[in-house]
Amino acid sequence: MSSDTVDTQTATATPRLDPGLTLALADAADLAYRDFAKQPLTPPAGWELAGRWTGWDPTPFGGSEEKYGVILRRIGAPGELIFAFRGTASLDDALDDADFPLVEFVSSQGSVRTGAHVASGFYGIYHDTGHGMDQPMRAQLQQYLQQLAPTRIWVTGHSLGGALAQLFAFDLSYGTRAAAFDSLIVLASPRVGDQRWRDTYHARIPAARSLRIYNQHDIVPQLPPKDLGFHDVGTGFPTAFQRHLLPDLHPVPRHSLLNLTYVLRQSFATQAETWAGTFADQSDPHREMVSTLPKAAGG
């Protein structure tokens, strides 16, 4: 989506990725990982850290509270915010990723029953609390919406964070700050819910405002499987990259946010949304990656 103001009723049904906005959101998602890892945080140019939140990782062994995301505020325009969610970064996260049974999504606003069903692992992180955790993730996010009074909101997340970002954007559509929502861009996100989820989601968030960037060689965006009734939402933007040698033995580089961001940068540099070429694995520069033009795919 363009970072310029666009009326929600006239947004095009066939959006294009805005390079500056897309890369800023990818950098924000990376910042959420860095915050979890207690690494130094350097926000993208023109942005500053405005908040962070936690989530509950429920597991058969009890679970734990973990950092899950950061809020960035545009310098000089304090009402403009990015909510960025991190992906899988712990064993508890991985257990939640595999928790596919469906539960109904209930809105934070007046406990509205939506009828949409989503994977219980994702919903548990967003909705649950335990062991002295003061507020669930969704309550923390609602509190920030009240405190920061946003006039414009972008939402993003990588991997598991993309699933949580979709839950938050959907929840946001029921609240008093719904008009401030600009767009959602998720990166390598898994599927979140069933057909009722997809239908209800699209009725509240136009596909032109919900963009899904993924690697066709990455297994994560193909999960949970369609055979279990899960559906994609939003407009898809495929890429295609993998290790040059023995790619099937190396699934992690295909899912890497750093590698996906690198391919996006090259794509934007050629004024396209695809790119073919070779590059160093951004997490292991001694290994070579190859990017090809993606196969034709629907949104």
Side-chain angles (χ1 to χ4, degrees):
M1 289 295 296
S2 170
S3 57
D4 296 330
T5 301
V6 179
D7 186 283
T8 57
Q9 301 302 315
T10 60
T12 176
T14 54
R16 293 183 62 84
L17 295 173
D18 177 271
L21 174 62
T22 302
L23 294 176
L25 294 181
D27 288 344
D30 182 58
L31 211 65
Y33 279 109
R34 293 179 180 275
D35 188 50
F36 173 78
K38 299 180 180 180
Q39 296 176 351
L41 302 184
T42 304
W47 297 87
E48 61 184 359
L49 185 67
R52 50 169 58 87
W53 65 87
T54 61
W56 179 251
D57 273 346
T59 72
F61 315 107
S64 61
E65 180 181 6
E66 295 184 347
K67 291 181 179 179
Y68 260 102
V70 296
I71 300 172
L72 301 183
R73 176 170 50 205
R74 191 189 293 275
I75 297 172
E80 299 191 0
L81 304 177
I82 294 173
F83 287 77
F85 295 75
R86 70 158 176 87
T88 302
S90 72
L91 175 60
D92 287 352
D93 297 342
L95 292 172
D96 294 328
D97 291 346
D99 194 357
F100 294 166
L102 292 163
V103 296
E104 184 178 3
F105 184 100
V106 179
S107 167
S108 293
Q109 302 300 314
S111 297
V112 175
R113 300 288 294 270
T114 66
H117 289 83
V118 298
S120 57
F122 305 146
Y123 193 64
I125 295 172
Y126 184 70
H127 176 74
D128 291 345
T129 186
H131 290 292
M133 183 177 175
D134 292 335
Q135 292 180 308
M137 178 188 293
R138 66 189 313 167
Q140 297 172 56
L141 292 167
Q142 292 299 321
Q143 190 171 58
Y144 274 121
L145 290 173
Q146 294 299 318
Q147 292 176 352
L148 299 177
T151 57
R152 201 168 186 194
I153 298 171
W154 294 273
V155 185
T156 191
H158 173 256
S159 187
L160 166 62
L164 297 172
Q166 290 175 52
L167 293 178
F168 174 57
F170 186 63
D171 212 3
L172 184 63
S173 75
Y174 285 90
T176 58
R177 297 293 175 181
F181 175 74
D182 183 284
S183 56
L184 166 80
I185 298 180
V186 296
L187 305 125
S189 173
R191 300 183 180 110
V192 174
D194 63 5
Q195 183 170 343
R196 183 64 184 273
W197 153 260
R198 181 188 65 182
D199 294 345
T200 307
Y201 184 97
H202 284 161
R204 305 192 67 84
I205 303 176
R209 289 186 169 272
S210 182
L211 313 183
R212 175 173 44 86
I213 304 172
Y214 63 98
N215 176 11
Q216 290 182 334
H217 298 300
D218 180 10
I219 187 62
V220 173
Q222 302 174 44
L223 298 173
K226 290 184 176 180
D227 289 347
L228 294 183
F230 285 81
H231 292 268
D232 295 313
V233 297
T235 303
F237 290 89
T239 62
F241 61 88
Q242 58 187 333
R243 279 278 179 90
H244 181 63
L245 298 175
L246 303 174
D248 291 341
L249 298 180
H250 302 283
V252 174
R254 299 198 295 261
H255 186 59
S256 165
L257 173 60
L258 297 180
N259 285 336
L260 180 56
T261 302
Y262 185 91
V263 171
L264 288 172
R265 290 186 188 278
Q266 302 309 307
S267 300
F268 294 144
T270 60
Q271 297 184 344
E273 289 174 351
T274 59
W275 173 69
T278 59
F279 64 101
D281 185 336
Q282 298 301 286
S283 297
D284 184 359
H286 297 292
R287 306 294 182 181
E288 187 177 62
M289 304 289 295
V290 57
S291 174
T292 60
L293 300 184
K295 296 178 181 179

